[in-house]
Amino acid sequence: YRKCMEKPLEILIAIQARSTSTRFPGKILEFLGKKRILDHVIDSANSAALHVMKHSQNRIINCGVAVLHPKNDKIILSTFGSSKCIFISGEEEDVLSRFINAQKVVDFDYVVRLTSDCPLMLDYIIVKHINAATYNRLDYLSNVDESCRSVADGFDCEIISLLGIDWLKQNVSSPSDREHVTTAIRRVNPQSLNTGLVQFKLDTEELGLKMSVDTPEDLERVRAYYHAVEFKRQKAEQKFGKRNIYAI
């Protein structure tokens, strides 16, 4: 009976994407294996959403996925429109406006911010952020703080509460901060918000790892890594059987 009366916690995993990247136009359309780059990010987000809802224990959590794209970016809708997520538009340079528009479309309590150039994003990184933020009632949690991050480029993840989004709406005006969405929170660290950091036990940033795709050279490096892992996955399936492989 208590669960029936309890208001579900609404979480939106939002992937900001555009097909007009300045350094590498159309990069999210490039294939990594059999899927496009953006499809990899969408699949990781959906996997994380399912895990959160399935293992929410005594809490009721609804978790969905959205792609936040520029309103004039027809390539996004025509290429990925059948994906298992919703599509919400906003300004191209004013990325914060897309998150504000998302709040109008989806009545969320928390929004997870991902970028579409991280095709190797791991679902359990997203789950870690959601669990830590919701259990500890944090308004902003990330693994990207410039002064003490330990995560490799390509595994960036942030989660912002509704209170955090309201703070951004009221306090962020510069074009740079609105383009990068959360830089103002990390710079100001406002006392009105409860903030935190997710750190890797192994400092992968210090190892110089880069798993995001900003240039054609990045894509070739990520493809080489992806195919090497895929080869080992196939060998593992041959040895243990597909049902006995447990990905993390």
Side-chain angles (χ1 to χ4, degrees), residues 144-149:
V144 299
D145 188 278
E146 291 82 355
S147 64
C148 46
R149 67 176 286 159

Side-chain angles (χ1 to χ4, degrees), residues 6-224:
E6 185 181 343
K7 180 184 180 296
L9 192 63
E10 303 288 344
I11 298 172
L12 179 67
I13 302 175
I15 306 163
Q16 62 182 62
R18 63 174 182 166
S19 63
T20 55
S21 170
T22 304
R23 283 182 287 182
F24 189 2
K27 64 183 180 181
I28 62 172
L29 306 173
E30 296 286 345
F31 278 89
L32 189 60
K34 297 180 180 180
K35 297 187 295 188
R36 298 183 190 273
I37 284 179
L38 179 54
D39 282 322
H40 281 279
V41 187
I42 292 172
D43 286 349
S44 291
N46 273 313
S47 176
L50 289 173
H51 181 91
V52 167
M53 290 188 290
K54 183 177 180 181
H55 300 283
S56 57
Q57 298 179 348
N58 294 326
R59 301 178 299 168
I60 305 172
I61 295 181
N62 293 327
C63 193
V65 178
V67 170
L68 311 187
H69 62 91
K71 57 187 177 183
N72 297 320
D73 198 329
K74 297 180 181 179
I75 293 177
I76 294 277
L77 292 174
S78 63
T79 307
F80 303 97
S82 61
S83 299
K84 296 179 181 179
C85 61
I86 62 174
F87 291 79
I88 301 172
S89 65
E91 299 301 319
E92 180 163 1
E93 300 299 332
D94 183 3
V95 183
L96 178 57
S97 75
R98 301 186 218 168
F99 286 83
I100 294 172
N101 289 345
Q103 183 187 356
K104 298 174 183 177
V105 175
V106 180
D107 186 20
F108 59 74
D109 298 296
Y110 287 89
V111 60
V112 177
R113 177 175 178 251
L114 304 178
T115 55
S116 58
D117 58 358
C118 298
L120 302 180
M121 170 58 72
L122 302 168
D123 55 1
Y124 71 80
I125 294 178
I126 305 170
V127 171
K128 178 70 173 181
H129 281 74
I130 292 174
N131 286 341
T134 56
Y135 274 111
N136 297 289
R137 298 184 180 181
L138 301 177
D139 297 304
Y140 177 74
L141 178 68
S142 80
N143 58 15
V144 299
D145 188 278
E146 291 82 355
S147 64
C148 46
R149 67 176 286 159
S150 60
V151 61
D153 184 349
F155 295 144
D156 294 11
C157 185
E158 303 168 88
I159 182 167
I160 314 152
S161 72
L162 188 57
L163 185 63
I165 292 293
D166 287 340
W167 186 91
L168 289 169
K169 287 194 293 185
Q170 295 170 18
N171 293 278
V172 175
S173 57
S174 77
S176 176
D177 281 336
R178 293 187 71 88
E179 178 184 359
H180 296 100
V181 185
T182 56
T183 47
I185 287 182
R186 296 196 298 278
R187 183 175 65 252
V188 176
N189 195 19
Q191 293 185 352
S192 60
L193 301 180
N194 190 13
T195 63
L197 178 75
V198 172
Q199 284 192 314
F200 275 26
K201 293 181 179 180
L202 173 66
D203 194 336
T204 55
E205 188 194 34
E206 285 297 316
L207 296 175
L209 300 178
K210 178 173 168 55
M211 301 299 184
S212 62
V213 176
D214 293 310
T215 66
E217 292 75 21
D218 288 340
L219 177 60
E220 291 308 309
R221 183 180 60 257
V222 170
R223 274 180 174 158

